[in-house]
Amino acid sequence: MSKQQGPMELGQLRDRVAVVTGAGNHGIGWGLCCHAAGELGMHVIVLDLHEKLVREAEQRLRQLYPQVECHGLACDVTEPEQLTTVAARIADLLPGKAIGAVFANAGVIFSHRIMNSTVQEWETTLRVNVMGVVNTMHAFIPLLQAQESESIFSATASVGGLVRGDNGGASYQASKHAVVATCEALSFELARKSPQIRVHVLCPCIVASALDKTSVVNQRVQDGESSADEVEALGAGGFRLAMTPERHAIQTFEHIKAGNFYMVTDNVRPYVDHDLPFDGVAIMRERHENMQTLTLDNSDAWERRPGMAPSAIMKGPMFGEPESF
Ligand SMILES: NC(=O)c1ccc[n+]([C@@H]2O[C@H](COP(=O)([O-])OP(=O)(O)OC[C@H]3O[C@@H](n4cnc5c(N)ncnc54)[C@H](O)[C@@H]3O)[C@@H](O)[C@H]2O)c1
C-alpha cells in the first residue's frame, strides 16, 4: 500500500495552511475551518463566492481563533483563473507557510426529477460540483507537489456519489459520482509521482446546512435578481438527526488520520446523539450487489411513507420512523 493511503500524524498540520472552498456559510466547509484552526492549529483560507460572505467568515474565525491567521478571499470555483490568483495570493498573505490541506468543498443542489429539471440547473450543478473540483485540483496540486511535506487534498462528493440514482437527485448525484471518479483518478495519478499528497473523497451522509437555500440564493445573484451585498451566511437546516458541521469535521479528520480514502461520514455516535444512522455503507453495498447481478432493484419505488416521496436511498434507521422528521 502506498504511503498516500496510510494513517496520518495530524500533529504535523500545526502552523500549516488549510484552504477550504465553499466555507462562507455555516455548513461543512465552515466546520472544517473551525476544526483546522481550533483543534489543529492551522491557518485558514476561507474561499466562497461573495466578498461580504468571506469577510464575515474571516471576522468570525479571527474572533474565535486569534492564535492562528485567517483570511477570506472571494473566489468562484468555476473560474480557473480566479483560483490560480487566489493560490498565488496565499504565499503573500502567509509567507513561508506550507499548505497542509485543501478541501474542494463548494457545491450546489437542485432537487428536481429529471423531467422537471432545467438545463440551467444541470449546467450549474456540473460546473460548480465537477469543474469546480477539477479547477481546484489544477490550481493547488502543483503547489502541493512542489512541497516536500505531506499534505491533504480532499474533494467533497457525497454519499450520493457512491449509491444508486434516486428520486429527484439525478443532477446532484451525477455530479457527485463524477467527483468520486475524479478523486480516484487523482489518487492513482499521484500515487507514485507525488506520494506526499494524500488524496481523499469526502462523502457525507446528512449534515445540517442550508445547501438547498445557498444554491438558490447564489443562482439569484448570478441571474441578477438580487445583489451579492445582500447575501447573508446561512446554516443548519431543521433536520434534528443531522450532524452539526463541527462534529462532522471531527469525523472527517478521524478518517484522514486513519488514512481512509472514501471518507463516508455517517450519522453515528459519537458524532450525533442518537442511534439512527443513515447507514451509507449498507446502501452502497446494495448498489454493488445490483451491479454484480447486472440488475437494478426498483422495489423502493412502490414504498409509501407519510410525508415522503418514494426513495431508494432515504430509508433505513434514520428515515424509518415518521417522528424522525
Ligand atoms: N449537507 C449535507 O448533508 C451534505 C451531504 C453530502 C454532501 N454535501 C456537500 O458538502 C458541500 C458543502 O455543502 P453544505 O451542505 O455544507 O452547504 P453550504 O451551502 O454551507 O456550502 C456550499 C458552499 O458552496 C458555495 N458555493 C456555491 N457555488 C460556488 C462557487 N461557484 N464558487 C465558490 N463557492 C461556491 C456556497 O456559497 C456555499 O457556501 C457541498 O459540496 C455539498 O454537495 C453536503
Side-chain angles (χ1 to χ4, degrees), residues 215-227:
S215 304
V216 171
V217 166
N218 290 335
Q219 190 66 58
R220 285 175 57 80
V221 172
Q222 193 184 320
D223 294 345
E225 292 169 12
S226 61
S227 158

Side-chain angles (χ1 to χ4, degrees), residues 22 25 27-28 48-49 75-78 105-107 128 156-158 172 176 204-207 209 211 214 218:
N25 285 284
I28 286 172
D48 212 302
L49 270 176
C75 177
D76 182 342
V77 297
T78 68
N105 170 74
V128 177
T156 308
S158 167
Y172 184 73
K176 295 303 188 178
C205 288
I206 309 285
V207 184
S209 82
L211 181 61
T214 62
N218 290 335

Side-chain angles (χ1 to χ4, degrees), residues 104-147:
N105 170 74
V108 293
I109 191 169
F110 301 99
S111 301
H112 294 134
R113 292 182 182 186
I114 296 171
M115 301 312 289
N116 295 333
S117 58
T118 64
V119 170
Q120 187 193 41
E121 285 168 6
W122 278 85
E123 284 178 350
T124 303
T125 304
L126 296 174
R127 262 162 51 87
V128 177
N129 293 7
V130 184
M131 291 316 300
V133 168
V134 174
N135 294 336
T136 309
M137 289 175 177
H138 283 169
F140 284 96
I141 292 296
L143 302 184
L144 303 184
Q145 285 181 301
Q147 298 180 170

Side-chain angles (χ1 to χ4, degrees), residues 278-298:
F278 180 88
D279 207 351
V281 173
I283 305 169
M284 281 158 61
R285 192 174 300 117
E286 217 174 88
R287 177 174 199 254
H288 284 265
E289 282 167 5
N290 274 201
M291 292 172 86
Q292 281 167 31
T293 54
L294 309 184
T295 57
L296 189 59
D297 179 356
N298 283 331

